[in-house]
């Protein structure tokens, strides 16, 4: 029986990179049956909600999604699709492995980066609770709960135990947000008691940003609330070559949605030059999740061998190849 997977190509570069991924998985003969659903600003406007019901129903049924980006309007408009989806399906753990690719020339090419980001995915300033108290005075509520902090911490420590990660660094600003980030840290400290084999430390978010830029190799796994996770993910992506290559997973009890860290990249959309590596690597994470380990390893190896050979690479990582040329090179290296 093939795995039934909801495919949301999204908008911007989404359809280009999703097309590439479907192509590679087909070439690798992975037993997947896609249930394709469209999502973009026009569909959202027509449905009157960020994630129309048929998409939620599809994901609840298949319990697995591969998702491209959907543009989020800035300073107004509908609520972010990602935020809505994560909340509606309770996809509480955002997991983003950030690794140097073999042979890829970056500013940090001599530094081996291999870390995993665990980002709480359902609350913090993403609760979307904003209020104009009086004209020109706005408050945005940062929500931190024991339930959400405890379960992302448990997820991170369980993952570390399973995957042999040795050290988790909790990132916070509890010197300023003593109650909110303080609660997050308390929950992490409680969970750490049950995992004595995993080293635990804490770092204030501004220092974490500095340390990541100075000595990224000191980090193994990073655990943090939602907003810091968003920002630190992009910073970490910059260490290994940019947003074109970093994958991600949104995991809940009943459902998991795999998607790249990057957004819809409107500056390059429709030009056929987007790098599909990030969504392809997200699909590799999905295959591991589905138990298709052999196919996952084959695809990962094919991607890595293109990077190791140094061509053909997409433009964002210093090459000149189109999305199609890079995708074909990956397919040619599938063994
Ligand atoms: P969002 O707010 O939706 O997360 P963002 O502000 O993080 O989006 P992106 O859309 O991810 O922005 O793009 C940031 C930059 O990275 C852009 O210059 C874009 O072209 C580049 N970029 C992102 N993804 C890719 C990709 N897959 N291939 C090539 N370049 C990319």
């Amino acid at each position: 029986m093939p795995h039934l997977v909801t495919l949301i190509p999204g908008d911007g570069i989404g359809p280009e990179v999703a097309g590439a991924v479907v192509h590679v998985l087909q070439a690798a003969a992975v037993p997947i049956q896609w249930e394709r659903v469209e999502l973009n600003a026009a569909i959202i406007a027509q449905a009157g909600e960020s994630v129309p019901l048929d998409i939620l129903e599809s994901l609840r049924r298949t319990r697995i999604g591969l998702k491209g980006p959907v543009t989020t309007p800035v300073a107004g408009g509908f609520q972010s699709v990602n935020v809505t989806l994560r909340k509606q399906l309770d996809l509480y753990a955002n997991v983003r492995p950030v690794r140097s690719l073999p042979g890829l020339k970056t500013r940090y090419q001599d530094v081996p980066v291999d870390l995993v980001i665990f980002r709480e995915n359902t609350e913090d300033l993403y609760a979307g609770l904003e209020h104009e108290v009086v004209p020109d005075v706005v408050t945005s509520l940062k929500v931190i709960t024991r339930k959400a902090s405890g379960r992302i911490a448990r997820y991170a420590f369980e993952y570390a135990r399973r995957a042999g990660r040795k050290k988790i660094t909790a990132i916070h600003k509890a010197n300023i947000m003593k109650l909110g980030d303080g609660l997050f840290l308390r929950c992490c400290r409680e969970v750490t008691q049950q995992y004595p084999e995993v080293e635990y430390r804490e770092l204030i978010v501004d220092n974490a940003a500095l340390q990541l830029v100075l000595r990224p190799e000191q980090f193994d796994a990073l655990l943090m609330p939602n907003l810091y996770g968003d920002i630190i993910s992009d910073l970490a992506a910059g260490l290994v070559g940019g947003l074109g290559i970093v994958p991600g997973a949104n995991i809940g009890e009943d459902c998991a949605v795999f998607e790249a860290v990057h957004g819809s990249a409107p500056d390059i959309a429709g030009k056929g030059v987007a790098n599909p590596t990030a969504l392809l690597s997200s699909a590799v994470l999905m295959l591991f999740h589905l138990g298709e380990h052999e196919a996952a390893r084959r695809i990962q190896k094919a991607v890595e061998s293109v990077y190791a050979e140094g061509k053909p690479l997409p433009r964002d990582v210093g090459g000149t190849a189109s999305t199609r040329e890079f995708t074909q090179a990956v397919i040619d290296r599938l063994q």
Side-chain angles (χ1 to χ4, degrees), residues 13 17 70 72 234 243-244 261-268 273-276 316:
I13 59 170
V17 291
V70 179
T72 304
D234 274 33
L243 288 172
V261 172
H262 66 70
S264 57
D267 51 335
I268 55 165
V273 298
N275 187 346
D316 62 310

Side-chain angles (χ1 to χ4, degrees), residues 17 80 82 89 125 136 143 193 220 227 246 298 304 311 321:
V17 291
S80 156
N82 296 337
L89 298 172
L125 280 162
D136 294 338
V143 179
Q193 303 298 320
D220 192 4
L227 180 62
V246 179
R298 270 172 66 220
E304 285 176 2
K311 66 176 196 280

Side-chain angles (χ1 to χ4, degrees), residues 147-195:
K147 181 180 172 206
S149 304
R151 67 181 177 173
I152 186 64
R154 277 191 298 280
Y155 188 91
F157 277 91
E158 266 308 311
Y159 181 108
R161 177 175 276 172
R162 233 184 18 248
R165 293 268 167 187
K166 298 202 162 27
K167 185 166 74 178
I168 291 185
T169 307
I171 293 178
H172 67 95
K173 191 77 183 174
N175 52 336
I176 303 300
M177 282 156 279
K178 294 173 193 289
L179 287 183
D181 284 14
L183 174 59
F184 181 80
L185 281 187
R186 277 211 309 284
C187 294
C188 294
R189 288 174 195 164
E190 284 167 20
V191 171
T192 192
Q193 303 298 320
Q194 290 143 39
Y195 300 86

